[in-house]
């Protein structure tokens, strides 16, 4: 069989069989019991040549409405942000993307140092003492935080605010099942965690309180009060944060968070239909030895040269096996690299400028909706999302908007029956004034 | 600072430099103090770098030059299937219609993406011999845990709440017992016999009414096919347990044996291994799970289905275990895997396995007289040598691995599996040429000679890398996990 990925020639094959001392490749599979041996070929589509396959898959991609062609106001955890061109040039260097986990530090210093820099940038944004090398995504990072908290406090209940992304809550419920941890949700009031309810629910059985910052509705939670109520019961304070917002907002570390997690997708990572994105996991020093996943640390060689290694591996599955508290192995290293490049390109000033544009443009959209007669029910401080109430069904709204070149917001009725006819609108720095005006006008026409 | 230190990006930063530009704000500016209440706006700036675009490119180019990937050279890291990562995959994953779509868009506007996912699911159903596949898990270990949670839900649905134990061979990947623990099971280890296969007697001894499942890698981590697979399946099914297939080594049996036909009830695949992910320096991966019919009700929600030529996500799954990840899995990796499957076709995938196995056996035979070969029989896609002969001469497997760096190779997986002393697990894959395999074997043979004649050169290796062996004890004793400005 000739294929551009398969260098084997007939001559090679003959020589190799000779060295092995057999006459046919099939003999190497003789230990597979005949009863289970698969004979013949898979019933899958035949191979396509490069050019033909590119054509076919490009046509398939073109069936989708993408945020390059459409103005997207859809957020809810995944955002259309400016991605510096340089990101793809760096992560396309195949010394990075064709390597695996840096088990051999002498020939993996590039990856290790890049991760060390990523860990540092996440610490800077979150205000935490240390961060790991990445998790699958924000949702699973939050779930691991819940498990860590239960293990650390030896308590079996976690409280999660209903203003946390509903799919994140689902993942928390899923991850905690194995350890028989109960998950209790804390209701919201005016689009933020209901602090009175939280005070009622948090008790000496509570391992952790999980909130999102800014929350699922775009509102910015009052972390000072959440922290007080949480630590009063000696529970861990866990914040799921949007790292772009942290360019501008007081970081969770300043509020006394024990664990800050989130998804670095806003920094240089494509929406990609929901993944792969890049979870991060940052903690205070006291939790250092309980962090899931890989950590890169600095050290030296015998000549005093600085270098980086995977460290504190005694926490991990390949050492601890059934005593491990997390089973994570592969993570999202390449996306952590992408996020690092984006955070570097934007830098100290750019992250603030981009975050500012998000707030200000969202504020503009909010005023425009209100001017057009829409109700914006939550009036607290927001980041780049707002909730807009419409008078009528949202069932076909996004289909109509699509025809106008707009990807509309998220219909909150899909996840919360109390929020029928409420739509979550995200306005990033990518949206122009014209596009915002067009959205308000089209929605105005629909609900006039 | 040592003159040979590679600067950190934070050490080349200079106030006033920028590496970006954003369009001017086109809506009226607003004083942030009016939008953010006092205390909400951060006071201390996050100390991110301030560098120009060229600074960034030079920095990361320098870092990439200090990194070894498959494109740099041979990478026979056992159990990781470090095969060539086709470039077409990278192009396809970056098509705007795949890269720039949102998971919560109206389904009518993402039918192309859903079609690709569906076609991939169908292909994996055929390849594994399972009845249905979910693409939701993000990586292999995530898939293991997902499948175990489904097994748990299955037993619970049958009122079988006493099945608390998961059996794992002593040669298994560390993720297996860890996943079992995270899923709330107790791990029971079953021994390997002298041939390196699961000891049937020991298995019969440890199974019982409390057995939830047996997790098996086949071929196992020694690269050996568990030829008693039918008896193994019978023993587990006989006590009402489920048989789980760890797909890390699927590259060894494609088109030769399907987990579904061998008696497995569920399977996870590592798309970044067998199906050219790529590995990304440690991820992202993708870990789809395939199941037989009786586990289908427990699949993670939502399930992608096809109805009248339209693709839709079915959330109405009353017995689902729930959601293991936001959205639908690592779609970008799944796009690459699908592109690979379509580049290979059925005859291509068959050749992949045949050549991967031929390459491994060829290397094993070239090296067997120079190192100990604890299990001397045809291997599958990988084999394990022991360095115990060299250890007697004062040279450890770690030393030999470091010496390989001087020849420009990534070493094999070492000290794994745990049941081989001074193990070296070598997996060449099918994308390497005979010339590459020969050159690597020559290097290994030279190192074996050096061990006998000049052991210091091996003990003190590497000699040519940008850095020597690093002090790992120091790194762990007083961890420095982030840069702090001096």
């Amino acid at each position: 069989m000739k294929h551009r990925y398969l260098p084997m020639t007939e001559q090679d094959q003959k020589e190799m069989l000779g060295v092995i001392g057999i006459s046919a490749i099939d003999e190497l599979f003789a230990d597979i019991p005949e009863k289970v041996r698969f004979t013949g070929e898979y019933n899958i589509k035949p191979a396509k040549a490069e050019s033909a396959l590119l054509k076919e898959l490009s046509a398939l991609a073109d069936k989708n409405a993408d945020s390059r062609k459409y103005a997207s106001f859809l957020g809810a955890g995944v955002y259309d942000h400016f991605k510096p061109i340089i990101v793809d040039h760096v992560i396309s260097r195949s010394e990075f993307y064709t390597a695996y986990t840096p088990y051999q530090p002498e020939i993996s210093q590039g990856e290790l140092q890049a991760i060390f820099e990523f860990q540092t940038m996440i610490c800077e944004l979150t205000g935490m003492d240390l961060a790991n090398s990445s998790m699958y995504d924000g949702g699973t990072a939050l779930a691991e935080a819940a498990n860590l908290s239960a293990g650390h406090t030896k308590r079996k209940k976690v409280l999660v605010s209903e203003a946390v992304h509903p799919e994140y809550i689902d993942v928390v419920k899923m991850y905690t099942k194995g350890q028989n941890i109960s998950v209790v949700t804390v209701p919201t009031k005016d689009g933020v965690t209901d602090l009175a309810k939280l005070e009622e629910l948090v008790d000496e059985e509570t391992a952790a309180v999980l909130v999102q910052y800014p929350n699922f509705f775009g509102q910015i939670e009052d972390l000072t009060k959440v922290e007080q109520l949480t630590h009063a019961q000696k529970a861990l304070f866990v914040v799921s944060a949007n790292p772009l917002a942290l360019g501008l907002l007081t970081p969770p570390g300043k509020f006394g968070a024990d664990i800050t997690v989130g998804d670095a997708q806003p920094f240089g990572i494509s929406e990609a239909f929901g993944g792969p994105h890049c979870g991060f996991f940052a903690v205070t020093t006291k939790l250092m030895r309980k962090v899931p996943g890989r950590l890169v640390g600095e050290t030296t060689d015998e000549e005093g040269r600085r270098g980086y290694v995977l460290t504190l591996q005694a926490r991990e599955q390949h050492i601890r096996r059934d005593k491990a508290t997390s089973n994570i192995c592969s993570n999202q290293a390449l996306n952590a690299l992408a996020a690092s490049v984006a955070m570097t390109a934007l830098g100290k000033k750019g992250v603030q400028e981009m975050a500012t544009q998000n707030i200000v443009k969202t504020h503009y959209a909010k005023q425009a909706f209100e001017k057009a007669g829409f109700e914006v029910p939550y009036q607290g401080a927001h980041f780049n999302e707002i909730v807009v109430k419409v008078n009528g069904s949202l069932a076909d709204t996004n289909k109509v908007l699509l025809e106008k070149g707009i990807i509309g917001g998220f219909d909150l009725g899909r996840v919360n029956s109390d929020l029928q006819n409420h739509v979550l609108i995200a306005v990033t720095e990518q949206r122009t004034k014209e596009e915002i005006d067009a959205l308000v006008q089209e929605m105005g026409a629909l609900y006039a | 600072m040592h003159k040979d230190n590679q600067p950190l990006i934070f050490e080349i930063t200079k106030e006033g430099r920028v590496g970006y530009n954003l369009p001017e704000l086109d809506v009226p500016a607003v004083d942030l103090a009016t939008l953010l209440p006092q205390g909400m706006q951060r006071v201390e700036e996050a100390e991110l770098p301030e560098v120009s675009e060229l600074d960034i490119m030079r920095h990361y180019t320098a870092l990439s030059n200090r990194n070894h990937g498959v494109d740099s050279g041979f990478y026979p890291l056992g159990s990781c299937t470090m095969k060539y990562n086709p470039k077409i995959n990278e192009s396809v994953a970056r098509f705007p219609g795949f890269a720039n779509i949102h998971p919560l868009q109206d389904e009518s506007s993402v039918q192309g993406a859903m079609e690709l996912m569906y076609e991939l699911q169908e292909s994996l159903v055929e390849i594994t011999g399972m009845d249905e596949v979910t693409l939701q898990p993000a990586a292999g270990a995530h898939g293991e845990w997902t499948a175990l949670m489904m097994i748990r839900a299955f037993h619970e649905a049958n009122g079988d709440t006493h099945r608390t134990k998961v059996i794992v061979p002593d040669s298994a990947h560390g993720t297996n017992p860890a996943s079992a623990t995270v899923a709330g099971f107790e791990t029971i280890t079953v021994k390997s016999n002298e041939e390196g296969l699961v000891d049937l007697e020991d298995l019969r001894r440890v199974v019982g009414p409390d057995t939830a499942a047996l997790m098996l890698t086949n071929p196992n981590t020694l690269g050996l096919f568990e030829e008693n697979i039918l008896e193994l399946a019978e023993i587990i099914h006989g006590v009402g347990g489920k048989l789980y297939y760890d797909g890390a080594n699927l590259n060894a049996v494609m088109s030769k044996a399907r987990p579904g036909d061998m008696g497995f009830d569920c399977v996870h695949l590592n798309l970044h291994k067998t199906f050219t992910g790529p590995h990304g320096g440690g991820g992202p991966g993708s870990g789809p799970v395939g199941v037989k019919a009786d586990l289908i009700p427990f699949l993670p929600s939502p399930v992608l289905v096809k109805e009248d030529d339209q693709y839709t996500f079915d959330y109405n799954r009353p017995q689902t275990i729930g959601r293991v990840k936001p959205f639908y899995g690592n779609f970008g990796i799944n796009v690459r895997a699908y592109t690979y499957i379509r580049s290979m076709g059925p005859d291509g995938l068959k050749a992949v396995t045949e050549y991967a196995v031929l390459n491994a056996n060829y290397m094993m035979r070239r090296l067997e007289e120079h190192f100990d070969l604890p299990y001397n029989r045809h291997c599958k896609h990988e084999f394990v040598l022991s360095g115990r002969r060299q250890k007697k001469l004062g040279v450890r497997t770690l030393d030999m691995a470091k010496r390989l760096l001087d020849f420009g190779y990534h070493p094999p997986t070492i000290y794994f599996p745990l049941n081989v002393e001074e193990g070296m697990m070598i997996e060449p894959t099918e994308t390497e040429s005979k010339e590459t395999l020969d050159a690597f074997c020559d290097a290994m043979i030279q190192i074996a000679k050096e061990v006998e004649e000049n052991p210091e050169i091996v003990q003190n290796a590497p000699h040519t890398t940008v850095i020597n062996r690093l002090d790992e004890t120091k790194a762990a004793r007083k961890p420095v996990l982030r840069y702090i400005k001096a």
Side-chain angles (χ1 to χ4, degrees):
Chain A
M1 154 107 203
K2 281 203 180 83
H3 192 285
R4 65 189 189 281
Y5 306 154
L6 304 174
M8 183 77 71
T9 67
E10 277 178 35
Q11 181 65 28
D12 293 340
Q13 217 176 115
K14 211 187 285 170
E15 287 172 27
M16 291 163 82
L17 290 170
V19 168
I20 300 167
I22 55 172
S23 55
I25 293 180
D26 264 353
E27 292 177 46
L28 298 172
F29 295 94
D31 52 358
I32 299 178
E34 217 162 309
K35 210 175 151 196
V36 302
R37 217 175 288 168
F38 185 80
T39 49
E41 285 180 349
Y42 290 140
N43 180 22
I44 57 174
K45 289 181 181 169
K48 257 195 179 172
E50 184 173 282
S51 52
L53 186 56
L54 276 173
K55 207 168 167 183
E56 179 193 318
L57 295 178
S58 145
L60 197 57
D62 286 342
K63 284 191 188 173
N64 304 320
D66 67 74
S67 57
R68 290 291 163 272
K69 280 192 222 120
Y70 291 76
S72 176
F73 291 91
L74 191 51
V78 180
Y79 303 90
D80 172 32
H81 281 297
F82 162 60
K83 173 175 164 182
I85 275 287
I86 194 172
V87 171
D88 252 351
H89 287 266
V90 171
I91 68 168
S92 296
R93 290 196 65 90
S94 60
E95 299 88 344
F96 288 128
Y97 82 79
T98 72
Y100 206 13
T101 307
Y103 292 124
Q104 297 290 338
E106 297 87 347
I107 55 166
S108 310
Q109 281 303 299
E111 175 70 33
L112 287 161
Q113 182 171 328
I115 292 174
F116 183 80
E117 293 174 356
F118 172 79
Q119 292 176 178
T120 305
M121 293 182 208
I122 294 297
C123 289
E124 283 294 333
L125 284 167
T126 58
M128 304 302 291
D129 298 330
L130 65 119
N132 80 357
S133 64
S134 69
M135 306 295 286
Y136 304 135
D137 51 48
T140 57
L142 184 63
E144 291 264 16
N147 277 352
L148 187 164
S149 302
H152 180 75
T153 58
K154 302 196 167 51
R155 297 175 177 182
K156 287 287 188 189
K157 178 171 83 182
V158 298
L159 301 185
V160 54
S161 163
E162 285 173 13
V164 168
H165 195 299
E167 296 201 2
Y168 283 29
I169 298 178
D170 288 346
V171 177
V172 169
K173 287 181 177 166
M174 183 68 219
Y175 263 66
T176 48
K177 260 187 223 169
Q179 307 305 315
N180 299 314
I181 299 160
S182 67
V183 177
V184 177
T185 60
V186 184
T188 59
K189 192 182 174 201
D190 302 326
V192 293
T193 309
D194 184 335
L195 294 170
K197 287 274 166 40
L198 175 62
E199 190 166 9
E200 278 170 33
L201 289 165
V202 66
D203 58 20
E204 68 280 0
E205 308 281 298
T206 307
V209 173
L210 281 48
V211 297
Q212 186 174 317
Y213 178 71
N215 71 22
F216 182 63
F217 306 112
Q219 297 283 297
I220 303 172
E221 297 274 354
D222 181 355
L223 295 187
T224 307
K225 297 214 174 102
V226 180
E227 188 271 339
Q228 285 164 359
L229 294 172
T230 304
H231 282 157
Q233 298 293 344
K234 297 194 166 53
L236 295 187
F237 178 31
V238 179
V239 180
S240 176
N242 176 336
L244 173 64
L246 299 184
L248 219 49
L249 301 184
T250 303
K254 279 273 179 231
F255 289 107
D258 299 289
I259 307 175
T260 301
V261 297
D263 201 306
Q265 186 270 330
F267 291 129
I269 297 170
S270 300
E271 295 157 272
F273 206 40
H277 294 160
C278 178
F280 61 83
F281 200 103
V283 299
T284 55
T285 304
K286 75 170 185 216
L287 295 174
M288 176 171 70
R289 288 173 198 274
K290 303 208 164 160
V291 171
R294 300 189 175 116
L295 290 167
V296 173
E298 187 178 295
T299 184
T300 50
D301 71 1
E302 58 219 1
E303 290 172 40
R305 285 178 292 202
R306 181 172 69 186
Y308 300 90
V309 291
L310 294 174
T311 194
L312 300 176
Q313 295 189 68
R315 302 163 293 114
E316 291 184 65
Q317 48 78 25
H318 62 287
I319 310 284
R320 282 180 76 83
R321 298 178 72 89
D322 63 322
K323 302 285 183 301
T325 50
S326 166
N327 68 337
I328 190 167
C329 181
S330 284
N331 54 23
Q332 307 288 115
L334 194 70
N335 283 1
L337 177 65
S340 294
V341 179
M343 286 187 275
T344 300
L346 290 164
K348 189 174 173 175
K349 297 298 170 194
V351 168
Q352 295 175 48
E353 184 182 339
M354 193 157 126
T356 304
Q357 287 207 4
N358 276 262
I359 292 195
V360 173
K361 287 194 174 199
T362 303
H363 175 69
Y364 174 81
K366 176 172 176 268
Q367 288 186 317
F369 273 110
E370 284 174 334
K371 237 179 264 170
F374 287 93
E375 185 191 341
V376 177
Y378 309 141
Q379 290 288 329
H382 58 76
F383 182 53
N384 65 0
E385 286 173 284
I386 48 166
V387 174
V388 176
K389 189 178 177 202
V390 301
N391 56 352
S393 163
L394 281 159
D396 294 317
T397 307
N398 282 349
K399 283 197 182 71
V400 176
L401 290 175
L402 266 177
E403 286 166 21
K404 308 284 182 184
I406 294 170
I407 294 172
F410 180 69
D411 175 359
L412 289 167
R414 280 172 64 178
V415 291
N416 186 337
S417 52
D418 295 339
L419 292 175
Q420 299 293 339
N421 309 334
H422 287 67
V423 59
L424 181 66
I425 303 276
V427 188
T428 72
E429 76 292 340
Q430 295 274 77
R431 300 285 68 84
T432 62
K433 176 173 178 296
E434 252 175 39
E435 290 167 346
I436 300 167
D437 290 343
L439 172 74
V440 176
Q441 195 192 330
E442 295 299 342
M443 286 194 48
L446 278 171
Y447 297 100
Chain B
M1 196 166 78
H2 198 284
K3 66 176 170 48
D4 292 335
N5 282 357
Q6 174 67 35
L8 289 159
I9 192 78
F10 309 102
E11 293 166 338
I12 59 170
T13 185
K14 189 166 187 182
E15 195 181 335
R17 287 210 177 112
V18 293
Y20 77 100
N21 68 326
L22 286 168
E24 292 287 317
L25 190 66
D26 60 356
V27 302
V30 186
D31 180 5
L32 282 180
T34 65
L35 298 180
L36 295 174
Q38 210 176 1
M40 230 171 235
Q41 198 176 342
R42 82 184 279 159
V43 182
E44 288 165 45
E45 296 177 289
E47 289 297 330
L48 296 175
E50 298 184 270
V51 287
S52 73
E53 193 167 311
L54 177 58
D55 288 336
I56 303 169
M57 209 61 221
R58 286 220 176 113
H59 175 72
Y60 285 106
T61 301
L63 291 189
S64 73
N65 288 336
R66 295 161 75 88
N67 222 51
H68 180 102
V70 172
D71 286 1
S72 317
F74 191 40
Y75 208 132
L77 188 66
S79 235
C80 295
T81 314
M82 302 302 292
K83 58 169 81 176
Y84 174 62
N85 298 132
K87 304 311 162 197
I88 184 177
N89 298 357
E90 298 304 309
S91 300
V92 172
R94 285 174 172 82
F95 286 157
F98 292 143
N100 305 117
I101 50 173
H102 193 290
L104 300 172
Q105 273 177 234
D106 195 278
E107 285 180 359
S108 66
S109 70
V110 285
Q111 285 291 304
M114 294 169 79
E115 182 178 336
L116 184 144
M117 289 173 66
Y118 189 81
E119 290 293 322
L120 176 60
Q121 284 179 189
E122 293 291 293
S123 305
L124 297 178
V125 161
E126 170 68 11
I127 289 168
T128 57
M130 291 286 156
D131 293 323
E132 204 157 323
V133 162
T134 172
L135 301 176
Q136 207 179 91
H142 203 214
E144 289 175 19
W145 166 77
T146 300
L148 289 173
M149 291 304 289
M150 292 172 66
I151 289 172
R152 185 177 150 145
F154 169 85
H155 290 315
E156 280 171 6
N158 292 335
D160 233 351
T161 50
H162 306 296
R163 295 190 180 273
T164 52
K165 290 175 182 161
V166 165
I167 301 167
V168 173
D170 54 8
S171 61
H173 299 114
T175 50
N176 289 179
S179 297
T181 297
V182 177
F185 291 108
E186 184 188 338
T187 301
I188 304 293
T189 303
V190 60
K191 280 191 235 126
S192 302
N193 62 22
E194 284 169 7
E195 294 174 308
L197 305 176
V198 172
D199 187 325
L200 292 179
E201 282 317 301
D202 198 42
L203 182 63
R204 284 199 186 92
R205 192 179 60 78
V206 296
V207 296
D210 56 0
T211 302
L214 167 66
M215 300 179 83
L216 204 63
T217 310
N218 197 14
N220 64 24
T221 57
L222 293 163
L224 306 178
F225 192 85
E226 297 281 356
E227 55 192 10
N228 302 317
I229 182 61
L230 292 171
E231 286 96 320
L232 286 166
E234 217 177 277
I235 294 170
I236 288 302
H237 289 152
V239 296
K242 289 284 178 195
L243 190 56
Y244 175 88
Y245 185 86
D246 178 327
N249 293 346
L250 190 75
N251 213 46
V253 290
M254 277 195 295
S255 306
K256 297 294 174 186
R258 304 191 306 173
D261 302 332
M262 289 185 236
F264 286 93
D265 302 290
C266 49
V267 44
H268 91 260
L269 302 175
N270 300 76
L271 296 189
H272 47 297
K273 295 179 179 177
T274 317
F275 300 98
T276 69
H279 286 78
S286 176
V289 167
V291 295
K292 283 293 182 68
D294 55 358
L295 290 174
I296 289 177
F298 308 100
L299 283 168
S301 171
V303 174
L304 173 60
V305 294
K306 188 176 180 181
E307 284 169 2
D308 309 325
D309 279 336
Q310 286 291 304
Y311 300 93
T312 184
F313 287 111
D314 178 10
Y315 287 85
N316 184 18
R317 314 283 299 191
Q319 286 189 285
T320 178
I321 54 166
R323 178 184 274 290
V324 302
K325 187 188 182 315
F327 315 118
Y328 326 112
N330 279 345
F331 175 75
I333 304 302
N334 297 337
V335 170
R336 289 168 172 90
Y338 183 67
T339 305
Y340 174 70
I341 290 171
R342 296 297 312 282
S343 298
M344 300 314 293
D347 49 341
L349 290 181
K350 188 174 177 184
V352 161
T353 285
E354 290 185 346
Y355 296 163
V357 171
L358 179 61
N359 282 352
N361 278 280
Y362 172 69
M363 291 179 80
M364 182 173 79
R365 294 308 166 198
R366 274 211 60 194
L367 293 172
E368 65 181 328
E369 58 181 282
H370 306 278
F371 299 87
D372 280 9
L373 177 62
Y375 303 101
N376 188 0
R377 50 177 277 199
H378 293 322
C379 65
K380 287 289 160 295
H381 66 309
E382 66 190 1
F383 61 100
V384 183
L385 297 175
S386 164
R388 60 192 167 208
R389 193 189 309 175
Q390 286 75 19
K391 188 183 173 190
K392 286 186 193 129
L393 300 171
V395 178
R396 304 287 309 266
T397 282
L398 178 69
D399 302 323
M400 295 191 279
K402 295 304 179 192
R403 181 65 178 138
L404 276 170
L405 302 177
D406 290 330
F407 291 84
Y409 298 117
H410 193 290
T413 297
I414 53 175
Y415 299 105
F416 188 82
L418 306 175
N419 50 347
V420 175
E421 185 189 358
E422 296 289 311
M424 285 179 273
M425 183 198 235
I426 302 176
E427 180 183 9
T429 85
E430 71 286 356
T431 60
E432 298 294 341
S433 69
K434 180 168 178 295
E435 288 75 11
T436 300
L437 307 184
D438 280 332
F440 178 82
C441 290
D442 292 344
M444 287 286 285
I445 294 166
Q446 185 183 324
I447 292 169
K449 274 204 189 100
E450 287 173 350
V451 170
E452 291 172 7
E453 294 162 6
N454 183 15
E456 294 79 20
I457 197 170
V458 185
Q459 286 157 336
N460 299 327
H463 305 278
T464 59
T465 47
V466 295
I467 202 150
N468 292 341
R469 290 192 210 187
L470 288 156
D471 187 345
E472 301 198 9
T473 315
K474 175 179 165 186
R477 200 187 304 129
K478 225 185 148 200
V480 178
L481 304 173
R482 55 157 300 178
Y483 168 76
I484 291 173
K485 206 170 171 182

